[in-house]
Amino acid sequence: MNKISTLVYSAIICALLSSCATVMRDETQDIPIHSNVKEVNIRVLNRHGIAVYEGQAPTVVPLKTSRNGYFSPAKYTIEASKKGYAPIRRPIDWHLSPWYYLGNIVIGGIIGYLIVDPLTGRMYSLDEEVNLYMTPLPK
């Protein structure tokens, strides 16, 4: 009986941990945004061009890592502007979390690998930080 209960508990633990990225990551990520110039106006746009944040750098912006769909990472673009400087427009890149591809392989999660993590979107991470380098306009 002791071996059976150990086997059952082991199976339960494996099932609970089979979606490593879902267990280890949150659905939002705080992205620090820095600039070489103070008080730069920034806008963060989602994949549809809708502003999800407007303010000034330096700042920290919480962004969702997924767009609520199967294998659907969130995609953002940041626009930066300041009088006397060339405007900047660049993407905030997404990446697969190491918890997704390593955690699910090690802990045994075909369910986590193909179903749970892709549905929750927690398998994605965004750039750890964004550094904006503003270039002065010629006078």
Side-chain angles (χ1 to χ4, degrees):
M1 185 68 167
N2 195 15
K3 288 183 181 183
I4 293 174
S5 60
T6 301
L7 183 62
V8 169
Y9 287 129
S10 296
I12 291 171
I13 289 171
C14 285
L16 290 174
L17 296 177
S18 67
S19 52
C20 242
T22 300
V23 173
M24 300 305 293
R25 296 194 46 81
D26 197 1
E27 65 184 17
T28 60
Q29 181 179 338
D30 290 338
I31 310 296
I33 300 173
H34 306 284
S35 174
N36 62 327
V37 179
K38 292 184 180 185
E39 299 177 351
V40 173
N41 297 313
I42 61 168
R43 289 178 11 141
V44 178
L45 309 172
N46 66 13
R47 73 174 57 231
H48 303 293
I50 298 169
V52 295
Y53 177 84
E54 293 187 41
Q56 289 189 330
T59 189
V60 176
V61 179
L63 296 174
K64 289 181 121 184
T65 57
S66 173
R67 67 179 188 109
N68 298 330
Y70 189 68
F71 282 106
S72 298
K75 296 181 182 177
Y76 298 99
T77 301
I78 186 165
E79 296 177 339
S81 63
K82 183 169 179 149
K83 187 175 180 177
Y85 292 86
I88 295 174
R89 182 179 171 96
R90 65 161 282 219
I92 297 175
D93 293 323
W94 63 269
H95 315 275
L96 283 176
S97 166
W99 286 111
Y100 172 67
Y101 57 87
L102 292 176
N104 282 324
I105 290 170
V106 172
I107 296 178
I110 193 74
I111 293 171
Y113 194 70
L114 295 176
I115 298 172
V116 179
D117 286 342
L119 283 175
T120 65
R122 292 185 183 175
M123 60 194 265
Y124 301 109
S125 62
L126 301 170
D127 288 338
E128 291 295 318
E129 66 180 345
V130 175
N131 292 298
L132 302 169
Y133 296 99
M134 304 298 290
T135 306
L137 293 172
K139 294 184 180 186

